[in-house]
Amino acid sequence: MTRVRLENVTKVYGSVIAVNKVSFEVESGELFTLLGPSGCGKTTTLRIIAGFEVPEHGRVFFDDEDVTYLKPYRRNTAMVFQNYALWPHMTVFDNIAYGLRIKKKKLGLTEEEIKKRVKWALELMKLDGLENRYPLQLSGGQQQRVALARALVVEPRVLLLDEPLSNLDAKLRIEMREEIKKLQKKLGITTIYVTHDQVEAMSISDKIAVMNQGKLLQYGTPHEVYFRPQNLFVADFLGRSNILYGVVSEKQEEYVAVHIPELDMDIIGVPIKQDLPKKVAVVIRPEIVELIDDRKPLIHRDNILEGRVDIAMFQGEKIEARVNVGKTSLVVYLPNTLNIISGMNIKILLPKKNIIIIPTEET
Amino acid sequence: MRRSIGIVDVYFAGFMIAIVYSLLYYFIKLSITVELSIWFLGVFWAIMLLMAGFDYRKITFSFSQSFIAIVSFIYIFFILVLRISGIPRAFALFLFPLLVLASIGYFRDKINSLKQYYESSRRVGLKISLTRRIKTTTYKLDPIMWVFIVLGLTILVVFLITPVLMMLYHAFEVPEGKPFYDNFVRIFTARTYVRLKLFRSERFYDFETLADGRKVLVITGLNYGILLNSLINAAIVTSVATFLGILVAFVLARYDFPGRTIIRLLAIVPLFVTPFINAYVVKILFSEYGPLSMITEAMFGWAIRIDSLAGVALAQIMAFYPIVYLNAYSSFINIDPSMEEQAENLGAKGFRLFTSVTLPLALPGIVAGSILVFIFSLEDLGAPIIFQEKRLMSYQIYSSFVSETGIVSPEIAALGFVMLFLAAMGFIAIRSYVGMRSYAMISRGGRWTLREHKLGWKGLLFVYLFLVPLIVFTALPQIGVILLAFNIIPPYGFTIQLENATASYFLELFQNPDVFIYIKNTLTYALMAVALATTIAIMIAYSVSRAKIRFLTPLLDTLATIPLAIPGLVIALGYYFFYSTVFKGTPLDPTSGPTVFQAWIVLVIAYSIRKLPFVVRSVFAGFQQVHEALEEAALNLGASRSRVIFGVILPFILTYIVSGAVIGFIYISTEVSTSITIGGLRPDQAPMTFYMRSIYQGGTVTGVQVVASMGVLLILFQLLAIFLIVVVFKQRYAFIGV
Ligand SMILES: Nc1ncnc2c1ncn2[C@@H]1O[C@H](COP(=O)(O)OP(=O)(O)OP(=O)(O)O)[C@@H](O)[C@H]1O
Ligand SMILES: [Mg+2]
């Protein structure tokens, strides 16, 4: 099992910095996701790990071996390309067997053993019976599984997946992502997964790294990056957020009160770090908001807002409402059992332990 | 409101300078300082305009403006070197501010992008160390890539660049005591090269009385000297060919009428290469024995003959206009119909629609075709040799090879240099503006249904009375070649004699060993040259499509394309100087005499380099078919680079490679320029085209039918090639220059 470590990796194309001083470490057997908007450098990072590009700065390590300048065909990574890159002139079987045949001598494999291993991969990916077809005769999902089988059959040190599901339809995407996750755990193979779909990233990853404009902004478990975003971009990119700007008015032990001019009141929340600057932003996830029932006694006194429902949309599992408060408005998710309609006046509570306070100035 | 400074102001500025010049020139004598100040005034005006806010990108972005800038560059260059004054010079001054602005714009853009590059890399705060930079570059290059790049570059530098440079070097070889540019002074001033003042008695046409008493109107054209003749001829051929090409293309692309498919096929017949003999057919068609003379004799009592310069122009127009036609045709059918529909929707129609939307969108493709015609016309030898028109640059260069001494003079090298300069300017224009071709093709993806209209009765009349006869007429040379080969028409006059039809001339090609040797030579050389060219093409095409190294790969790309733009005669001259210097005293030395010189080696190399672009283009298209990820997937699985290339990629694009080879074979077997010059230095090793040229031996015509049979053989080769490529390999057949 292999650990992958990037140290200050930088890649420049002409005047574009595709990857800017990126460092991270992937534990062996971990499923690590690079997440970010289009053009942020995910593919480039992955290609550096595979060895198709070399960084202008920084190094890449597999375990403790420096592989920065190792040729792609000596790295023993296996990459699944976004467009699958299946050779159209080879059958499914030949496509999958290709890597093994290349390494036949080195591994001392016989044609018999190759056949056995390809069979294993076919079974694993539920492709039995398709081995004599050509890639163009397969559906998108099947092609995707062939690409995966071709990568897995060589028992790579690292599996690299570049948006492997982006060409599939929504339902298949969900099925396949479960399958990939199961498979990865079963084989225990170190995997780096690229996607721009945050739900996909959070559902399958052990760790997520969020990138923007070539920089790695934060990495950690899905839970950490979701609930403890280190900067506004991450907060905004993952899930939905209401962001209000203000200045710190008072520091308590683990909480901070922030004065929000637009609401003309203080909001209390948890700061992401101790030494906050004066100007901060308050991040309120729509699902943490609670509706206050006037008939019941109040337990909390802080973070209570009164507002008028601007628009309420019933969405099945929840109600999404936009509530005008002060000079601004918040998006809130409310339980689908409530009877909320536009024009209603409501009182909402923002539980302070779930409010995140982030510095606005980039440090 | 302030009016922004536009292109009108640029022309206004030019107009002012031209006025100043004319006043001074006609009323006061001009001293050299005054003259210089006027030119400086042009530069000054341009800078003023720029400072006043003229957006020079208007010139770079506007296709027609930048085209005018390039043409004015050539024009001003000649006005200056030929020391022409008066109205032509005033016109040059009129164009001057535009030229200055265009060049300032060009250089400013270049400098800006460099600056931007350095600034942004500084802003990044990244100092990439040199070793790291080198390491990054070399990392991408496996040993095999290195071999490809280095070998490809070496071959092109040694066998393309060096010979041309050697020709340039010899162009500056002058008799002792003369300035180094003496040869050029001669070319630009001597009366044989430049005759601005004609004799009073010289006329464009004349009447002549034949020995049998018939009266003939002979149209010859005017002789302005070798250099100007070539330029004027090329200009006329280009304009007429462009006009006809656009006309035919537009009608065939946009209108549907009965018989269109046949007409469309007929329109490309002139592109079947049949060196010399097609020009010969043109000559007899327009001689006093030809069909046209029969008509005029019946009507006016005199026959007509188109000869000399006029004959060359006519033959070239007929042969080359399909180049424009094909380019224009593909441009027209590639225009997204919604562009025209949008214009119609806004109320444009007819001629207005054509000039405001259709033509501008198709223009890049059309201009590319026109410029190719310009280059081909300059370097063409077929028509000048058949019409025995010696007062053209191409004929002069050719005849220096067949002189008694067999030694090519430096003056001819200088002439070659001028020809190269003209062709290179045209080529630069293509390179800079054909990129704009893409704007004609902005599409929403997918195939669209072509916009086709039915023709009204006026249109039908036009098509059947003018267009169809025109197209049939331009196909006549090739048809005539076939008729000649089977002796259906006699070698001189013009009568159809089906009863005389015989295949004996055609059979003679294979039965007469003195003739067959040329066919054998051509076939062997072409096969060897194709093998060589394909190998080089694979190396270059792969490097260009995969290795992205700054400067190096673009350079390789350009080098592999420019043989298209270098006139064959320049290559011939270059090879002459190259081999007679570097291989002095060996059998490769062209001056070593007609029994020692091994012309075949020189020819095979010359062929493979000259026709390389055709092969590279096809192979390159193949590599582009293969998405890079397919290759990376194999590398990723542990296959080495050479294994990927030879195991995965090449078998996959085999059809492209074979197509490239077949096209290469066709253009090599019909090659003229080096075959009859270098090949002429060793007649028994010469190829078919050399034999075909001998139709004119010392001014008399011999063996027309045998030569025509060779033409037929070449047509058969070409038909076979088209069949192979289009039907068997399902690729596009690349007609010359398309
Ligand atoms: N070969 C290249 N040459 C020049 N610029 C490049 C090249 N490859 C990538 N870039 C640039 O580098 C940046 C990062 O590209 P990259 O492909 O890594 O983005 P990405 O995060 O994978 O985006 P997407 O989600 O759209 O696939 C982009 O701005 C892109 O334009
Ligand atoms: Mg990507």
Side-chain angles (χ1 to χ4, degrees):
Chain A
M1 290 296 104
T2 307
R3 262 179 307 124
V4 176
R5 184 155 52 91
L6 270 68
E7 264 179 22
N8 268 323
V9 166
T10 300
K11 176 78 203 170
V12 182
Y13 290 115
S15 60
V16 181
I17 315 177
V19 178
N20 195 347
K21 302 206 180 101
V22 166
S23 310
F24 60 76
E25 185 162 347
V26 185
E27 295 298 333
S28 65
E30 203 170 65
L31 201 162
F32 184 93
T33 300
L34 288 170
L35 175 67
S38 185
C40 71
K42 308 176 297 280
T43 299
T44 310
T45 311
L46 205 66
R47 289 170 59 82
I48 288 171
I49 298 171
F52 297 129
E53 310 282 348
V54 265
E56 267 81 29
H57 271 264
R59 319 222 138 252
V60 181
F61 295 92
F62 285 2
D63 289 331
D64 290 319
E65 178 195 359
D66 182 348
V67 296
T68 316
Y69 291 107
L70 197 67
K71 296 278 180 196
Y73 43 84
R74 302 202 196 293
R75 292 196 184 194
N76 201 7
T77 65
M79 181 149 169
V80 174
F81 291 78
Q82 189 168 352
N83 58 359
Y84 312 145
L86 297 177
W87 299 299
H89 58 308
M90 295 185 196
T91 60
V92 168
F93 186 93
D94 291 335
N95 262 290
I96 298 177
Y98 187 84
L100 293 174
R101 290 193 174 136
I102 293 286
K103 293 177 183 161
K104 193 167 159 183
K105 267 207 207 94
K106 213 175 99 200
L107 302 178
L109 288 174
T110 63
E111 196 59 32
E112 216 28 58
E113 281 165 310
I114 290 178
K115 221 174 231 163
K116 232 167 69 193
R117 283 177 60 173
V118 173
K119 266 235 132 54
W120 168 83
L122 284 166
E123 255 163 47
L124 190 71
M125 296 314 305
K126 307 199 181 75
L127 286 166
D128 352 23
L130 300 180
E131 51 264 54
N132 290 326
R133 295 236 199 133
Y134 285 91
L136 292 177
Q137 302 168 319
L138 299 179
S139 74
Q142 289 166 334
Q143 289 182 14
Q144 200 268 345
R145 291 206 296 263
V146 174
L148 209 57
R150 183 176 69 181
L152 288 172
V153 79
V154 295
E155 297 179 353
R157 299 172 79 179
V158 185
L159 180 64
L160 305 172
L161 306 167
D162 188 3
E163 311 210 15
L165 306 181
S166 61
N167 284 347
L168 306 181
D169 67 47
K171 197 152 171 280
L172 198 56
R173 203 146 60 203
I174 294 174
E175 264 172 43
M176 282 307 297
R177 91 181 172 215
E178 274 171 29
E179 255 176 71
I180 290 179
K181 169 115 181 159
K182 270 195 275 182
L183 201 71
Q184 189 266 343
K185 283 285 155 278
K186 186 164 128 198
L187 301 174
I189 188 169
T190 311
T191 303
I192 301 176
Y193 189 104
V194 164
T195 181
H196 61 252
D197 179 341
Q198 40 135 341
V199 179
E200 191 175 301
M202 285 196 277
S203 10
I204 70 168
S205 319
D206 297 316
K207 291 253 180 67
I208 293 180
V210 183
M211 291 184 72
N212 189 31
Q213 297 189 338
K215 290 199 184 115
L216 191 148
L217 298 178
Q218 181 178 2
Y219 81 97
T221 62
H223 195 272
E224 271 167 9
V225 286
Y226 189 79
F227 287 111
R228 283 287 167 264
Q230 295 296 306
N231 58 47
L232 275 180
F233 180 84
V234 178
D236 202 26
F237 189 73
L238 286 180
R240 282 186 82 174
S241 305
N242 297 288
I243 295 174
L244 301 171
Y245 296 92
V247 286
V248 176
S249 59
E250 192 192 340
K251 286 187 187 172
Q252 298 161 1
E253 304 220 326
E254 46 185 324
Y255 295 108
V256 165
V258 178
H259 182 76
I260 312 286
E262 282 184 316
L263 299 176
D264 195 21
M265 64 176 283
D266 284 6
I267 297 275
I268 298 170
V270 187
I272 56 152
K273 57 179 179 180
Q274 285 307 310
D275 46 338
L276 278 181
K278 209 139 178 66
K279 286 190 177 158
V280 293
V282 173
V283 177
I284 304 159
R285 300 266 186 215
E287 71 272 16
I288 61 145
V289 175
E290 288 170 18
L291 191 70
I292 296 175
D293 190 341
D294 275 336
R295 289 161 299 183
K296 289 182 187 158
L298 271 181
I299 319 163
H300 308 275
R301 305 237 156 260
D302 303 321
N303 292 357
I304 292 177
L305 301 175
E306 266 180 73
R308 187 186 168 84
V309 177
D310 187 20
I311 182 166
M313 291 173 287
F314 179 73
Q315 293 184 334
E317 82 273 21
K318 64 174 191 288
I319 294 170
E320 180 182 323
R322 179 163 284 280
V323 184
N324 291 333
V325 281
K327 290 190 208 100
T328 180
S329 67
L330 300 176
V331 175
V332 302
Y333 296 160
L334 298 169
N336 55 7
T337 50
L338 295 174
N339 184 20
I340 303 282
I341 52 168
S342 310
M344 248 169 113
N345 284 317
I346 56 170
K347 240 189 219 172
I348 49 177
L349 167 73
L350 313 175
K352 61 183 178 184
K353 63 175 199 307
N354 290 333
I355 304 281
I356 310 148
I357 304 205
I358 297 175
T360 43
E361 291 127 36
E362 289 288 311
T363 40
Chain B
M1 204 191 90
R2 252 194 75 221
R3 202 174 61 88
S4 68
I5 310 255
I7 203 74
V8 179
D9 301 84
V10 179
Y11 287 122
F12 179 71
F15 186 67
M16 296 304 283
I17 311 171
I19 293 283
V20 170
Y21 168 82
S22 312
L23 288 178
L24 291 175
Y25 177 75
Y26 287 106
F27 297 109
I28 317 162
K29 268 270 147 278
L30 269 177
S31 70
I32 201 82
T33 34
V34 175
E35 162 98 49
L36 266 182
S37 348
I38 293 179
W39 287 100
F40 269 115
L41 195 63
V43 179
F44 176 74
W45 260 113
I47 294 174
M48 285 310 286
L49 283 172
L50 210 60
M51 307 255 275
F54 175 74
D55 187 358
Y56 63 80
R57 283 172 306 179
K58 273 186 193 134
I59 298 178
T60 347
F61 288 162
S62 142
F63 180 80
S64 46
Q65 292 301 337
S66 37
F67 191 62
I68 293 174
I70 284 183
V71 173
S72 28
F73 178 68
I74 298 180
Y75 179 74
I76 293 173
F77 177 82
F78 277 102
I79 290 292
L80 289 180
V81 292
L82 299 179
R83 302 193 202 150
I84 300 169
S85 41
I87 300 282
R89 200 177 194 110
F91 188 64
L93 281 161
F94 168 70
L95 293 170
F96 192 55
L98 178 80
L99 176 65
V100 176
L101 274 168
S103 29
I104 291 179
Y106 179 79
F107 286 113
R108 231 167 80 166
D109 270 355
K110 278 264 133 75
I111 292 170
N112 272 353
S113 71
L114 259 182
K115 240 204 237 149
Q116 221 170 24
Y117 174 73
Y118 283 112
E119 228 155 64
S120 61
S121 53
R122 216 189 40 225
R123 188 165 38 83
V124 175
L126 270 179
K127 276 247 166 54
I128 302 165
S129 66
L130 189 65
T131 46
R132 190 84 189 214
R133 226 175 252 249
I134 293 171
K135 253 179 151 173
T136 318
T137 309
T138 49
Y139 175 83
K140 291 218 126 180
L141 301 177
D142 305 75
I144 184 140
M145 288 275 254
W146 272 119
V147 172
F148 281 8
I149 292 179
V150 172
L151 210 61
L153 265 181
T154 315
I155 290 173
L156 287 173
V157 167
V158 172
F159 291 109
L160 180 66
I161 301 302
T162 320
V164 172
L165 288 181
M166 286 216 166
M167 184 200 74
L168 296 191
Y169 172 76
H170 283 276
F172 291 99
E173 214 174 41
V174 289
E176 199 121 355
K178 294 274 173 110
F180 69 92
Y181 49 83
D182 192 56
N183 292 325
F184 291 94
V185 173
R186 218 184 111 61
I187 289 178
F188 289 122
T189 55
R191 256 184 85 72
T192 44
Y193 287 104
V194 179
R195 292 171 81 224
L196 290 172
K197 296 211 168 55
L198 303 181
F199 296 128
R200 198 135 284 196
S201 60
E202 279 180 278
R203 281 203 297 169
F204 182 72
Y205 59 89
D206 225 332
F207 278 100
E208 220 175 74
T209 314
L210 294 181
D212 57 6
R214 288 162 70 205
K215 229 173 139 196
V216 185
L217 170 69
V218 187
I219 299 177
T220 54
L222 288 171
N223 172 23
Y224 287 96
I226 294 163
L227 180 61
L228 287 187
N229 284 345
S230 276
L231 276 177
I232 294 170
N233 178 58
I236 291 175
V237 169
T238 309
S239 341
V240 179
T242 304
F243 175 74
L244 288 181
I246 295 175
L247 189 69
V248 174
F250 187 74
V251 173
L252 290 184
R254 286 288 188 273
Y255 293 98
D256 194 16
F257 53 87
R260 183 173 68 156
T261 319
I262 295 173
I263 292 299
R264 213 151 63 184
L265 287 179
L266 214 55
I268 52 172
V269 166
L271 286 177
F272 282 90
V273 193
T274 47
F276 302 104
I277 186 73
N278 62 329
Y280 179 78
V281 176
V282 175
K283 187 173 168 150
I284 53 171
L285 284 179
F286 288 94
S287 72
E288 54 269 38
Y289 311 106
L292 193 62
S293 289
M294 294 178 195
I295 299 172
T296 55
E297 255 182 329
M299 287 171 73
F300 311 109
W302 38 257
I304 191 167
R305 185 168 87 224
I306 299 183
D307 209 346
S308 302
L309 289 166
V312 171
L314 180 72
Q316 290 185 346
I317 290 169
M318 288 173 70
F320 296 146
Y321 98 89
I323 295 175
V324 182
Y325 153 69
L326 274 187
N327 273 284
Y329 183 80
S330 71
S331 298
F332 285 139
I333 61 170
N334 272 319
I335 294 175
D336 184 340
S338 66
M339 303 239 179
E340 285 181 5
E341 278 156 11
Q342 176 71 67
E344 273 179 343
N345 184 242
L346 295 172
K349 63 172 199 212
F351 195 63
R352 178 72 192 278
L353 172 69
F354 178 73
T355 51
S356 64
V357 177
T358 315
L359 190 62
L361 285 176
L363 204 57
I366 293 170
V367 171
S370 316
I371 291 175
L372 280 176
V373 170
F374 181 80
I375 298 175
F376 288 156
S377 163
L378 268 185
E379 63 165 335
D380 178 46
L381 272 177
I385 287 179
I386 292 303
F387 283 92
Q388 288 291 288
E389 180 49 75
K390 303 187 171 142
R391 299 163 304 182
L392 285 170
M393 279 159 75
S394 52
Y395 196 98
Q396 287 296 314
I397 296 176
Y398 157 71
S399 67
S400 73
F401 277 91
V402 290
S403 68
E404 296 287 300
T405 53
I407 288 172
V408 179
S409 71
E411 189 176 311
I412 294 298
L415 206 56
F417 176 73
V418 174
M419 189 185 258
L420 178 65
F421 171 81
L422 290 169
M425 285 314 294
F427 185 64
I428 289 172
I430 300 184
R431 287 287 297 201
S432 331
Y433 299 111
V434 160
M436 298 178 71
R437 208 180 256 251
S438 50
Y439 83 82
M441 300 187 182
I442 301 165
S443 78
R444 304 145 303 177
R447 265 169 199 281
W448 44 67
T449 44
L450 291 175
R451 279 166 58 89
E452 280 177 0
H453 305 290
K454 286 262 178 283
L455 275 175
W457 67 270
K458 270 192 238 160
L460 282 175
L461 224 54
F462 169 76
V463 164
Y464 289 120
L465 287 187
F466 177 72
L467 216 62
V468 173
L470 175 81
I471 291 171
V472 171
F473 176 71
T474 50
L476 280 185
Q478 272 69 12
I479 298 171
V481 170
I482 299 170
L483 297 183
L484 268 177
F486 296 100
N487 203 32
I488 297 172
I489 54 176
Y492 301 101
F494 183 80
T495 42
I496 302 268
Q497 319 160 319
L498 272 178
E499 66 280 8
N500 286 359
T502 164
S504 64
Y505 293 106
F506 194 76
L507 293 177
E508 194 185 331
L509 292 183
F510 305 97
Q511 287 160 351
N512 182 349
D514 292 338
V515 180
F516 186 68
I517 176 88
Y518 293 104
I519 296 174
K520 205 184 91 200
N521 283 347
T522 288
L523 290 181
T524 8
Y525 301 169
L527 283 178
M528 287 193 279
V530 158
L532 192 60
T534 312
T535 316
I536 303 173
I538 289 175
M539 298 197 293
I540 291 175
Y542 187 76
S543 312
V544 169
S545 66
R546 294 297 188 262
K548 303 214 166 48
I549 310 172
R550 283 213 297 158
F551 306 123
L552 208 58
T553 29
L555 176 72
L556 200 58
D557 191 13
T558 310
L559 282 183
T561 337
I562 47 172
L564 260 189
I566 300 183
L569 286 167
V570 170
I571 299 267
L573 281 174
Y575 270 47
Y576 174 86
F577 290 118
F578 177 71
Y579 284 96
S580 60
T581 316
V582 178
F583 294 95
K584 204 172 174 59
T586 69
L588 289 184
D589 180 356
T591 56
S592 60
T595 49
V596 185
F597 177 44
Q598 294 300 313
W600 68 276
I601 300 179
V602 180
L603 284 177
V604 165
I605 296 174
Y607 290 160
S608 51
I609 298 289
R610 269 207 80 192
K611 304 302 179 186
L612 185 64
F614 292 103
V615 192
V616 169
R617 184 158 60 182
S618 186
V619 178
F620 185 72
F623 283 124
Q624 279 192 320
Q625 267 328 279
V626 185
H627 195 287
E628 229 179 313
L630 289 178
E631 217 165 304
E632 285 172 347
L635 287 174
N636 184 244
L637 292 174
S640 68
R641 177 76 68 174
S642 50
R643 188 140 182 192
V644 174
I645 297 173
F646 295 106
V648 179
I649 311 297
L650 286 190
F652 192 50
I653 63 164
L654 202 62
T655 53
Y656 288 87
I657 296 174
V658 179
S659 300
V662 171
I663 289 172
F665 182 88
I666 290 304
Y667 290 118
I668 287 168
S669 56
T670 53
E671 203 269 3
V672 170
S673 306
T674 52
S675 303
I676 67 171
T677 48
I678 302 277
L681 297 173
R682 178 73 197 259
D684 63 321
Q685 288 186 357
M688 266 160 98
T689 41
F690 174 79
Y691 180 82
M692 296 176 79
R693 182 233 47 157
S694 68
I695 179 175
Y696 256 100
Q697 203 106 45
T700 55
V701 182
T702 48
V704 173
Q705 290 96 333
V706 179
V707 171
S709 303
M710 273 192 184
V712 171
L713 187 66
L714 287 178
I715 292 181
L716 287 180
F717 282 175
Q718 289 165 74
L719 282 175
L720 183 67
I722 294 178
F723 175 78
L724 273 180
I725 291 173
V726 177
V727 180
V728 181
F729 300 129
K730 311 256 184 283
Q731 308 271 319
R732 246 184 101 235
Y733 183 84
F735 276 102
I736 197 152
V738 183

